[in-house]
Amino acid sequence: MKQLYSKDYIARQVSRLGSEISQDYQNEEILLVIVLKGAMVFATDLARQITCPLAMDFICVSSYGGQTTSTGKITFKKDLDTDIQGKHVIVVEDIIDTGLTLQVLTQHLQLRKPASLKICSLISKQKHRKTSTKVDYCGITMDDGFIIGYGLDYNELYRNLDAIYTFDPSQQLAQGDA
Ligand code: IMP
Ligand code: MG
């Protein structure tokens, strides 16, 4: 495991995103739609950097299973508790890779007629993008590679690391076998 983004670097990006959102919405009320589970760590830090009136709700979709590449299929595991009609919604994601999860999710949310719908993602991976869905607020852009920490998991582990690390599952297996 090699550290890619330090705790301080992440905190600076989160603070910048919070300022951008606060500037854009001013005194409008925002609903953060937090995509479980990966975005929960980021979202709780982000929410505290936003100065607008703010509510939070959670949605849970699953796209990867135990794999490290996208299947293109997503399953809704938990829906929102809130009616988003007429609300200013910001979807908070941990990481966007192919963009397929986000595309299906935003199409689904648009049907509920929010006043506005924007996307905020801590990380945007560029190499495998298959959609044109715009990321309105992006913390960190990277090309490719599987990463863990700060909410991001591999098989549900490592979400609690406070920095972000590159991770190679084949190396982990090799070490485990040794
Ligand atoms: P997409 O549909 O390919 O954009 O995949 C997005 C989802 O896959 C994210 O919300 C993450 O949950 C997961 N994901 C994508 N890349 C990574 C990674 O490098 N580490 C951990 N999870 C990832
Ligand atoms: Mg996710």
Side-chain angles (χ1 to χ4, degrees):
M1 264 176 12
K2 193 170 144 265
Q3 194 180 101
L4 191 60
Y5 303 114
S6 69
K7 185 179 167 184
D8 287 352
Y9 180 75
I10 297 167
R12 285 199 297 279
Q13 303 317 310
V14 174
S15 165
R16 172 179 57 80
L17 291 173
S19 304
E20 284 175 24
I21 292 170
S22 306
Q23 284 279 328
D24 288 356
Y25 290 83
Q26 302 280 336
N27 291 320
E28 298 270 22
E29 192 178 308
I30 306 173
L31 174 67
L32 294 186
V33 167
I34 299 158
V35 185
L36 295 174
K37 302 173 195 165
M40 66 181 173
V41 174
F42 166 49
T44 52
D45 283 346
L46 176 71
R48 284 173 286 178
Q49 299 295 324
I50 297 175
T51 53
C52 321
L54 178 150
M56 300 186 216
D57 201 350
F58 301 91
I59 197 163
C60 186
V61 297
S62 158
S63 64
Y64 270 43
Q67 314 293 308
T68 56
T69 53
S70 189
T71 56
K73 286 188 201 139
I74 72 165
T75 320
F76 285 86
K77 293 188 163 177
K78 184 214 171 292
D79 205 341
L80 297 170
D81 296 330
T82 319
D83 179 6
I84 65 168
Q85 184 166 1
K87 300 212 168 126
H88 293 291
V89 171
I90 302 178
V91 175
V92 182
E93 258 288 21
D94 49 358
I95 185 163
I96 299 168
D97 185 15
T98 62
L100 292 168
T101 308
L102 190 68
Q103 189 178 52
V104 177
L105 184 59
T106 50
Q107 282 167 356
H108 171 86
L109 295 177
Q110 285 289 11
L111 296 174
R112 301 180 185 183
K113 303 196 166 35
S116 65
L117 182 66
K118 287 196 178 179
I119 313 296
C120 176
S121 184
L122 176 65
I123 293 163
S124 173
K125 281 205 274 197
Q126 305 291 324
K127 194 169 179 188
H128 304 291
R129 193 62 52 85
K130 293 183 180 153
T131 62
S132 56
T133 312
K134 185 174 161 222
V135 184
D136 303 280
Y137 303 102
C138 178
I140 300 168
T141 302
M142 62 182 273
D143 185 43
D144 193 17
F146 193 79
I147 55 177
I148 50 159
Y150 198 70
L152 293 156
D153 74 309
Y154 173 70
N155 277 348
E156 296 298 327
L157 293 174
Y158 311 111
R159 296 191 197 277
N160 56 319
L161 302 177
D162 61 7
I164 291 178
Y165 299 82
T166 55
F167 184 78
D168 182 350
S170 62
Q171 291 255 333
Q172 195 208 30
L173 285 175
Q175 280 169 20
D177 290 345

